Amino acid sequence: MYQPPESHKALNMADISQNQPLSPDQTLETALLDHGDMDPDALRRARRVCEETGDRLDMVLTRLGLASEQAIAAALARHLNLALVAGDDFPAAAVLQERLSAQFLRGARAVALAETEASVILAMADPLDGYTVDAVRLAAEKKVEVRVATPSAIDRALARLYGAAPESMGEIVDAAGTDLQTTEEDIARLRDMASGAPVVRLVSHLINKAAELGASDIHIEPFEQALKVRFRIDGVLVEMEAPPFALRLAIASRVKLMAHLNIAESRLPQDGRFQVNVQGREIDLRVSTVPTLYGESVVLRLLDRGSVALELPALGFADANLEAYLSVLDQPTGILLVTGPTGSGKTTTLYSSLVRLNTGDRKIVTVEDPVEYHLEGVNQVQVRPRIGLTFANALRSLLRQDPDIMMIGEIRDLETAEIAVQAALTGHKVLSTLHTNNAAATVTRLLDMGVEDYLLTSTVNGIVAQRLVRLICDDCSAPKPVLGEIVDELGLDRFFHGAEPVLAEGAGCAACNGTGFRGRTGIVEILTMTDAVRKAIVARAGAQDVQRAATDAGMTTMFEDGMKKAVAGITTLEEVLRVTREG
């Protein structure tokens, strides 16, 4: 049973509200700043995101990676003179179970720790939530003493004390029964099944679970005897509990209905999108269906604007790389290219750049496929090849709109590349992406497309190549010595500057689902168009020679940027090698 520490003064909500007339966000700001827990510039960035998204400051800070849940809870506890609850402090059995429902406690993010003759000890993620304190006081008919706990700790305690959240996959499947088997010819029945409550709940359960775990994609894949469901979490596919194989057609049809696709067409690929509300957050979902040997493979990409940090430092740009990128970005004309494989964060980097450039005295237009996030004050065009609205055709029309800045979702062919070059030559700033392995390879790719070398050197200001690496979980990070053989093989001495070679790794905990990782950040290399690089391009040098010219001029490679982050305890050596060797 939980015993409140004597060293902390028990405060009820009246005490808190009397001493703290500020809003919850203002109180958190004060708590973080008073003890130097947060850099003021970082806090200002977070406030700007709060204004754009309408989210609370604590949510934004954790999403941007500027502060962990533990740091926020500790700052609030110290500022309000309240006890901070550890994982072992939660009770073995539910307290006041007959008076406080699990649904109420989940919504309030609170757990009753103990009950005395005079009071109830209540752990809260938000210790300034007066409504919850008043409700518990009325229900228990006792004074409430507030303690502070992290949201994750409270969620784990609630799951242990009251069981899993309302419905599990098994419960939904049991409700569906065996009547949901169907044949592909029975389209009318298929539509009825896809609209039925069990299948509706099952698809909603998958989406909610994916959003809760921070997944970027949901893969629903039929095989010969089984249906597989996998979530892409922090860039890695993780297999999840899957519905029975018999429900594959009903699930695919339900997703198609939500995305306004043709439910009767299962022979051709289809693409669509829809929007759902998950835990108060609007999430866009892009849908792709492809016919396979055993049915339709369905992939849903979750686009949560509130969870995306449209701030360059939060994306992994730091120190010299940030300075180099901004020097290229702030040039009034020319082309800036961001390169990397699918899922490397290129579009997010471009959106963050547009947010910085989006001032009232500039007209910004974009051509995208698809438009992933809507930016206020930016004219965004979705390409539609089926009706002739290609990248090239849209760009020609947009040039007549007198833009200052143009963003092209991807340069896929010579025609689009030539229009981008002409736009840059006529005084426009152009931002775009390419699929290449590194910055130097982008040069040879454009030359192979047919872009003239003299046009390339006179219009391209800089090329960014990037990858995403997983962040070590703050809650279970621990030091890890590095073997001398690895130090010698990879030449790591230069990163430790004579110190003992020690990195970090995540041991695995409940907060990171035992993976040791939570969240991702970028590692980048920025090739600027120096005289040496121009000479190499005009001489039609290979990618390695262009790379050598850029590094001689001071470019930090992706591997070096990744190693700096590994030495700083942000990611692991294995992660850096995984993404750079893939390239």
Side-chain angles (χ1 to χ4, degrees), residues 317 325 336-340 344-347 349-350 353 431-436 442 462-466:
F317 289 81
Y325 185 77
L336 169 61
L337 297 171
V338 182
T339 72
S344 60
K346 301 185 299 296
T347 303
T349 297
L350 287 185
S353 303
L431 284 69
S432 189
T433 71
L434 257 80
H435 285 87
T436 56
T442 305
I463 302 170
V464 180
Q466 66 180 71

Side-chain angles (χ1 to χ4, degrees), residues 537-549:
I537 295 173
V538 172
R540 295 281 175 153
Q544 289 185 345
D545 294 326
V546 174
Q547 178 92 347
R548 191 177 301 111

Side-chain angles (χ1 to χ4, degrees), residues 57-365:
L57 180 61
D58 56 346
M59 297 169 60
V60 169
L61 288 172
T62 53
R63 285 174 184 169
L64 296 183
L66 297 174
S68 66
E69 287 185 343
Q70 189 67 28
I72 291 172
L76 281 173
R78 183 174 58 241
H79 185 69
L80 299 172
N81 196 25
L82 297 173
L84 182 62
V85 178
D88 296 338
D89 295 330
F90 288 96
V95 176
L96 289 174
Q97 189 170 9
E98 69 285 355
R99 297 196 180 193
L100 301 176
S101 70
Q103 182 179 1
F104 166 76
L105 292 173
R106 284 193 178 97
R109 280 266 171 92
V111 174
L113 301 176
E115 181 185 17
T116 67
E117 291 185 5
S119 64
V120 173
I121 316 296
L122 188 69
M124 303 178 65
D126 179 8
L128 298 171
D129 180 2
Y131 171 81
T132 295
V133 173
D134 287 341
V136 173
R137 177 174 51 80
L138 291 171
E141 299 179 343
K142 292 180 181 180
K143 175 184 173 182
V144 175
E145 297 181 10
V146 176
R147 301 288 183 264
V148 184
T150 65
S152 297
I154 286 178
D155 288 344
R156 291 194 294 272
L158 288 171
R160 177 173 56 81
L161 295 171
Y162 296 94
E167 282 187 312
S168 66
M169 176 74 72
E171 291 170 335
I172 297 172
V173 170
D174 288 344
T178 58
D179 294 334
L180 286 178
Q181 295 194 38
T182 187
T183 61
E184 297 207 26
E185 292 77 17
D186 197 351
I187 300 303
R189 189 175 179 222
L190 192 61
R191 185 182 298 274
D192 291 340
M193 288 164 28
S195 302
V199 174
V200 170
R201 294 207 311 273
L202 195 151
V203 173
S204 296
H205 171 80
L206 289 176
I207 294 172
N208 290 340
K209 189 68 176 176
E212 178 188 332
L213 295 175
S216 60
D217 301 270
I218 303 172
H219 294 253
I220 305 171
E221 304 161 314
F223 294 94
E224 185 174 7
Q225 297 295 333
L227 184 67
K228 283 192 176 182
V229 173
R230 296 189 289 176
F231 292 171
R232 190 176 295 279
I233 302 173
D234 293 335
V236 177
L237 283 173
V238 179
E239 191 162 345
M240 310 299 293
E241 182 185 8
F245 182 67
L247 302 183
R248 67 194 186 284
L249 296 177
I251 292 170
S253 299
R254 174 59 190 165
V255 173
K256 284 182 175 181
L257 284 177
M258 297 175 77
H260 306 290
L261 302 179
N262 184 357
I263 194 174
E265 179 57 77
S266 60
R267 301 164 300 169
L268 296 173
Q270 296 189 66
D271 297 303
R273 67 189 305 161
F274 62 94
Q275 191 177 75
V276 295
N277 187 291
V278 178
Q279 298 174 350
R281 305 186 337 251
E282 289 294 333
I283 294 181
D284 287 323
L285 291 102
R286 277 175 21 205
V287 177
S288 170
T289 67
V290 174
T292 68
L293 190 61
Y294 299 108
E296 287 183 283
S297 172
V298 179
V299 177
L300 298 90
R301 169 155 288 188
L302 283 71
L303 303 170
D304 181 3
R305 169 68 188 273
S307 68
V308 175
L310 296 181
E311 289 279 336
L312 292 169
L315 299 179
F317 289 81
D319 304 329
N321 273 339
L322 179 60
E323 184 179 342
Y325 185 77
L326 293 180
S327 70
V328 175
L329 182 64
D330 291 339
Q331 293 185 37
T333 62
I335 299 174
L336 169 61
L337 297 171
V338 182
T339 72
T342 300
S344 60
K346 301 185 299 296
T347 303
T348 305
T349 297
L350 287 185
Y351 276 127
S352 302
S353 303
L354 291 181
V355 167
R356 176 183 171 85
L357 297 171
N358 189 14
T359 57
D361 59 344
R362 291 167 169 158
K363 181 178 177 70
I364 303 176
V365 298

